[in-house]
Amino acid sequence: MKILISTDIEGVAGVVHHQQVRAGNPEYERARVLMAQEANAAIAGAFDAGATEVLVNDSHGDFRNMPAELLDARARFVLGKPRYLGMMAGVEQGVQAVCMVGYHSRAQGRGILAHTSNSFAFTRVRFHGEEVGEGAMYGALAGEYGVPVAMASGDDVFIAEHRSLFPDAVFVQTKQATGQTSGISLSPQAAREAIRAGVATALARPARPTPYVLRLPLAVRIQTQSPALADLFCQWPTLERLASDEIGFEAPTVEAAVRIVNCLSAMSALLR
C-alpha cells in the first residue's frame, strides 16, 4: 500500500497567526517544526496500518518548509517548486490514498488563517459555481487520478467545509477557530497522537473510500482581491472578464484548472 501525505501548516496545532506561517519570522521556525512533527505522526500512522511506501508532499508556501533532518527516514519527500500538481504532487506515483495534514478553510471562511492558494490574489474560487478551498481543489485533483482522500486534519471550520466532499474520510480536529487569527488548540503532542490514530484507522478500513470526482469540463470563476489583479490575469487571452474583480475560464480537467490557478498566483507577484 502506497500512501501520499500532503502537509500544510495553517491547520497545525498551535498555529494561529500569519507570523507563524511566513519565513523570516522567529515564530515560523517553531511552526515549521510542528508541521514536520505532524507529518511524522501521519507517516507513523500509515506504517501502523501496513503501508509499504509513504510519500510526503511539503504543501505550504514555497514547498520547502519542514526541516529534512527531522522527518521520518522511512518516508520520501516531495519538495520545492514549480511543480505541475502543486499540493498533490506525488499522486501520479501510483498511490492508493491521500491524507491531508494541517489543512485550512477556504478564502472568506471563518477558519484560522483561511485563504485559497494565495491570500494576496484571490478572494473566492468557484468550481461549477461552488466555492472551493485548497482541500476541495486538491481532493478533486486526486479524484481525477482515481485516488480518494482517506484522512484530513485541521480546524473545525475546515472539517465542516469538507465533510460532505469526503464522506468516507476520517477527520481529525486539531483546533477550534474563534477568529481568523485565534483559536483553541490541542497540544502538539495530543494532535500528533490523534493524527497518527486517525491515519491508521482510515487506512486500515476494509472498504476503500470513494474518490471525489467533478464533472468535466470544469467551469472556474475567480474573484480577485482587486480590479488591478483582474486586469493582470486577463492578459491571459483565454480568460474572460466577468466583472471588475472577477474572471472566468473553462478547463478540460481539474489538473488544468489547478495549474491555471497556480500560474495566476505566480503572476500576482508582479503587483506586490
Side-chain angles (χ1 to χ4, degrees):
M1 179 171 57
K2 189 173 183 178
I3 302 301
L4 175 65
I5 298 168
S6 175
T7 309
D8 207 348
I9 198 170
E10 286 88 355
V12 168
V15 174
V16 296
H17 195 272
H18 299 289
Q19 290 187 359
Q20 294 176 282
V21 302
R22 294 174 179 167
N25 296 295
E27 288 191 67
Y28 165 77
E29 296 302 324
R30 298 172 61 192
R32 67 198 293 237
V33 172
L34 297 176
M35 179 185 179
Q37 290 171 338
E38 289 199 2
N40 282 341
I43 295 166
F47 282 112
D48 290 345
T52 56
E53 187 173 352
V54 176
L55 291 171
V56 178
N57 179 326
D58 187 322
S59 298
H60 175 66
D62 59 8
F63 298 160
R64 49 185 182 89
N65 302 276
M66 297 182 288
E69 69 275 11
L70 298 183
L71 293 167
D72 190 320
R74 294 175 293 177
R76 292 188 297 141
F77 305 99
V78 184
L79 305 167
K81 62 169 46 173
R83 44 167 116 130
Y84 292 157
L85 301 184
M87 297 174 74
M88 206 47 61
V91 74
E92 78 284 6
Q93 298 294 317
V95 302
Q96 280 73 59
V98 169
C99 299
M100 296 177 168
V101 175
Y103 269 58
H104 53 83
S105 64
R106 63 178 177 249
Q108 303 305 303
R110 299 189 65 182
I112 295 169
L113 299 172
H115 68 282
T116 301
S117 295
N118 184 324
S119 58
F120 172 77
F122 310 130
T123 301
R124 287 183 172 88
V125 178
R126 294 181 175 90
F127 285 179
H128 291 315
E130 297 294 327
E131 288 189 52
V132 295
E134 292 164 23
M137 289 172 56
Y138 284 101
L141 179 53
E144 193 162 83
Y145 278 81
V147 180
V149 175
M151 176 270 179
S153 71
D155 70 16
D156 58 319
V157 181
F158 163 75
I159 293 171
E161 288 177 0
H162 293 85
R163 195 180 291 281
S164 64
L165 305 183
F166 314 135
D168 304 319
V170 172
F171 286 92
V172 173
Q173 184 178 320
T174 56
K175 52 197 174 186
Q176 176 186 345
T178 57
Q180 287 218 332
T181 54
S182 65
I184 302 169
S185 179
L186 295 179
S187 70
Q189 180 178 348
R192 294 194 296 268
E193 291 172 355
I195 288 167
R196 181 172 182 169
V199 171
T201 298
L203 299 181
R205 288 177 169 177
R208 184 174 184 266
T210 301
Y212 174 52
V213 178
L214 295 176
R215 73 180 188 275
L216 300 173
L218 186 62
V220 182
R221 298 181 68 157
I222 298 174
Q223 185 179 359
T224 64
Q225 289 284 5
S226 70
L229 283 160
D231 293 341
L232 173 66
F233 296 158
C234 282
Q235 297 297 314
W236 196 321
T238 58
L239 270 59
E240 180 184 1
R241 189 70 168 265
L242 302 174
S244 64
D245 61 350
E246 191 172 24
I247 63 171
F249 61 92
E250 186 176 276
T253 62
V254 177
E255 179 177 336
V258 168
R259 288 171 66 172
I260 291 171
V261 168
N262 288 338
C263 286
L264 296 178
S265 176
M267 286 174 65
S268 73
L270 292 172
L271 295 185
R272 279 188 181 271

